[in-house]
Amino acid sequence: MSQENVELVGRLYEAFRRGDQAVVVAHLHPEIEWRAIEDTETYHGHRGVATSVAGWLETWEEHELKPEEYLDAGDQVVVTTRLRGRGRRSGADVETSYFAVWRLRDGRAVAYHEYPSKPEALEAAGLTE
């Protein structure tokens, strides 16, 4: 099942890149737990994800997300993501990486949490470098 989870997460990133909300929502559990680095709270459900993502998108004049590495952790997938963009207000160019842990069950994402460092993400997924 874990290779299927890696493939599912890859499809989620691709659908997000294309702006295909129907595919994204279809693969998110209705009660998903969602926490991005910039969020001050954990969001729940499809509406919570939409709120978090909309807030994030508002900060960018342009952006590109590129998953660089997927680590299979059984019912979890750790993703190293490269972010390139230009801030809407500052006009500053940004290039950085962040790390996400997706937890999956029955072909859907039930949790998504972002971390600023790979060791933090690996620890959250019960892995070590």
Side-chain angles (χ1 to χ4, degrees), residues 2 5-6 9 13-14 24 30-31 35 54 57-59 87 92 105 107 113 116 128-129:
S2 55
N5 286 341
V6 170
V9 170
Y13 279 96
E14 181 58 27
V24 172
E31 299 301 321
R35 185 167 186 120
L57 289 172
E58 286 177 10
T59 65
R105 185 175 62 237
H113 292 196
T128 57
E129 255 186 301

Side-chain angles (χ1 to χ4, degrees), residues 7-112:
E7 292 169 5
L8 170 65
V9 170
R11 287 193 303 273
L12 280 163
Y13 279 96
E14 181 58 27
F16 181 77
R17 187 191 65 73
R18 288 190 321 265
D20 192 338
Q21 293 178 350
V23 170
V24 172
V25 170
H27 293 298
L28 300 180
H29 189 278
E31 299 301 321
I32 187 169
E33 180 180 294
W34 185 276
R35 185 167 186 120
I37 291 172
E38 65 279 353
D39 289 337
T40 58
E41 63 183 276
T42 300
Y43 291 93
H44 297 275
H46 295 160
R47 182 171 291 173
V49 172
T51 298
S52 176
V53 171
W56 183 82
L57 289 172
E58 286 177 10
T59 65
W60 300 103
E61 181 178 321
E62 60 183 60
H63 71 279
E64 175 189 12
L65 295 175
K66 181 180 177 191
E68 294 184 324
E69 179 183 34
Y70 296 89
L71 294 174
D72 176 358
D75 67 343
Q76 299 178 98
V77 177
V78 180
V79 181
T80 302
T81 305
R82 170 75 55 196
L83 165 64
R84 291 184 181 101
R86 179 173 302 115
R88 186 174 308 280
R89 290 188 183 144
S90 69
D93 290 325
V94 174
E95 184 170 343
T96 190
S97 291
Y98 67 92
F99 307 86
V101 177
W102 293 84
R103 192 170 69 242
L104 300 114
R105 185 175 62 237
D106 300 326
R108 288 185 161 176
V110 296
Y112 171 86

